[in-house]
Amino acid sequence: FLAIWLQWISNVIWFPTVLSFIAGTIAYIFDPRLAENKLYMVIVILVAYWAGTFANFRGMKTSGSISSICVIAGVFLPGILIIALGIIWLTSGNVLQITFSAQTLLPDMSNVNNIVFLAGAFLIFSGMEVSAVHANSVRDQKRDFPRAIFLSAGIAVLILIVGSLAIAIVIPQKQISLVAGIMEAFRLILNRYHMGWMVPIIAFLVAFGSIGELTTWIVGPSKGLYTTARDGNLPPFLQHMNRHGVATHILVTQGLVVTVLAFMFLFMPNVSSSYWILSALCVTLYLTMYLILFASAIRLRYIQPEVHRAYRIPLGNFGMLVTGITGMAGALFAIAVSFLPPSQLNTGSTLFYELFLIIGLLLMLSIPLLIYHFKKPSWKQKNVGERN
């Protein structure tokens, strides 16, 4: 229950960050200056999120169709385009904002605040464990499922590194916005080649793709939380399911939390600060869930060795130990660095930053434990909210 709660609540906290990216992208369709307007951000976040929530009330088939179209048009096409434009910029003799050399290949480790953003990069890979629910639907789990995981990880790494480099060679470091950096890079490159008319089109495609991703994730984690609710870990009110098989009461509760978090944008020094501090909290919560995941995998291999599993990590228990310990070490490292405020952003005082993350982490860990402690036997009602 604690693990699925952490997966759910970390995604709820992540929603305002991806929505702020969507809002910043949409601003380039009308007026790029809106990307730094906090009130505009809050309005777009709330409208887009609640629209996606109500769209999901019609079931997974609807959200799945939306997501498939959006990913192709709004993620792969702009991703390939920004990489191609970055290569053109690099090979056309334009001024580069970063230096390519052996000396600058590695980060400056003399200041630990320079590697804080690495914690945000871990979010690129979070959520891959969700695909495990489909392992039994794969024709050859031992062969095809690991291939799919490695392929998706490879694509994520490629887009993250090459796409980020394309932005970094065009925009000076201090001018990169966490919510609108990709669109600013598109604007500068396309204007350089007298193709500025394409910026609103690309902004629409990028926003379109992000909305598709958002639509899927709005309903995804709530399904896991609903399963634990049916086991009696949440009150009957949160066990309701509509005729389309959607846990609407959980989605509405989720939306109320997102609404409260969205107003954080009004109280932070700037939009990028709000984006980062919510991302840092999301990292700590999600990776705490991963600590539980890795520890459970190791323990289950030893206490239930006879259970048939669709996929097994090679090299037996040794392979599981190496994988689990490596995973836990990586998660602990990312959690540690996420508590360090980035020197490149104004996130308010260090005390505020640390207290926000510490209190946020303790609060989000305490809530499920208190619910579990005070749960009632009557909460486990087998047929509540089901529709055949």
Side-chain angles (χ1 to χ4, degrees):
F1 177 55
L2 175 61
I4 202 68
W5 168 276
L6 288 172
Q7 185 188 60
W8 174 74
I9 196 63
S10 63
N11 277 282
V12 173
I13 294 170
W14 170 77
F15 288 136
T17 65
V18 70
L19 283 162
S20 67
F21 170 77
I22 293 171
T25 302
I26 292 174
Y28 277 76
I29 300 176
F30 307 103
D31 182 359
R33 291 174 297 181
L34 288 172
E36 291 300 324
N37 186 304
K38 291 184 282 188
L39 181 60
Y40 160 80
M41 283 288 177
V42 172
I43 293 173
V44 174
I45 286 173
L46 295 181
V47 170
Y49 183 82
W50 282 104
T53 296
F54 292 132
N56 272 296
F57 279 14
R58 297 191 60 82
M60 286 294 291
K61 185 176 181 180
T62 300
S63 64
S65 299
I66 294 173
S67 177
S68 298
I69 298 171
C70 291
V71 165
I72 295 173
V75 177
F76 287 117
L77 292 182
I80 293 170
L81 183 59
I82 190 64
I83 292 172
L85 289 173
I87 293 172
I88 293 172
W89 183 276
L90 182 65
T91 57
S92 299
N94 294 292
V95 176
L96 305 183
Q97 299 300 330
I98 58 174
T99 303
F100 289 96
S101 67
Q103 185 178 2
T104 59
L105 181 64
L106 297 176
D108 178 12
M109 302 296 287
S110 62
N111 183 358
V112 71
N113 287 359
N114 288 332
I115 62 171
V116 170
F117 288 110
L118 182 62
F122 275 70
L123 282 178
I124 299 294
F125 304 97
S126 63
M128 283 192 177
E129 78 288 345
V130 178
S131 65
V133 301
H134 303 295
N136 288 327
S137 301
V138 177
R139 184 177 294 109
D140 187 342
Q141 296 99 330
K142 291 184 178 180
R143 184 194 66 181
D144 296 338
F145 188 68
R147 285 183 179 181
I149 291 294
F150 281 112
L151 179 62
S152 57
I155 292 172
V157 168
L158 179 66
I159 293 177
L160 174 67
I161 294 178
V162 183
S164 297
L165 281 174
I167 296 171
I169 65 174
V170 176
I171 308 175
Q173 175 193 318
K174 293 182 179 180
Q175 296 179 22
I176 295 178
S177 165
L178 290 183
V179 300
I182 187 171
M183 288 312 306
E184 185 62 15
F186 271 124
R187 187 181 69 84
L188 288 173
I189 297 175
L190 292 174
N191 284 341
R192 172 69 174 77
Y193 296 107
H194 309 290
M195 299 170 64
W197 56 270
M198 288 184 63
V199 173
I201 298 174
I202 294 172
F204 172 79
L205 290 175
V206 173
F208 187 64
S210 300
I211 290 172
E213 179 184 9
L214 173 73
T215 302
T216 302
W217 276 99
I218 283 176
V219 72
S222 68
K223 291 181 72 67
L225 193 65
Y226 173 77
T227 300
T228 64
R230 292 298 310 280
D231 286 337
N233 291 313
L234 291 173
F237 174 78
L238 295 176
Q239 298 177 24
H240 173 76
M241 182 178 283
N242 70 5
R243 63 189 180 89
H244 296 292
V246 178
T248 52
H249 288 187
I250 289 180
L251 289 187
V252 171
T253 303
Q254 181 174 285
L256 294 175
V257 178
V258 171
T259 299
V260 172
L261 291 172
F263 283 97
M264 272 198 58
F265 282 78
L266 298 177
F267 300 102
M268 290 297 293
N270 54 58
V271 171
S272 289
S273 299
S274 303
Y275 180 98
W276 176 254
I277 198 167
L278 287 177
S279 296
L281 180 58
C282 180
V283 167
T284 59
L285 292 170
Y286 214 116
L287 292 181
T288 301
M289 184 275 293
Y290 272 132
L291 290 175
I292 298 173
L293 195 73
F294 286 121
S296 299
I298 295 172
R299 176 169 168 76
L300 288 171
R301 178 64 72 87
Y302 281 91
I303 66 173
Q304 297 181 12
E306 75 287 348
V307 173
H308 173 74
R309 296 177 172 90
Y311 171 74
R312 278 180 172 267
I313 290 176
L315 303 180
N317 289 351
F318 174 76
M320 175 60 79
L321 278 172
V322 171
T323 303
I325 292 173
T326 302
M328 286 191 284
L332 286 170
F333 171 76
I335 291 172
V337 299
S338 68
F339 277 87
L340 301 172
S343 57
Q344 297 89 340
L345 290 177
N346 176 18
T347 54
S349 68
T350 301
L351 179 62
F352 167 79
Y353 182 86
E354 300 288 353
L355 285 177
F356 179 88
L357 292 184
I358 293 171
I359 293 173
L361 180 60
L362 292 177
L363 180 64
M364 296 308 170
L365 286 172
S366 300
I367 291 174
L369 295 177
L370 287 171
I371 293 173
Y372 192 84
H373 179 74
F374 290 106
K375 70 177 183 177
K376 300 177 181 179
S378 60
W379 289 3
K380 190 170 184 178
Q381 302 178 36
K382 185 175 180 181
N383 296 315
V384 170
E386 277 195 327
R387 296 290 185 272
N388 294 323

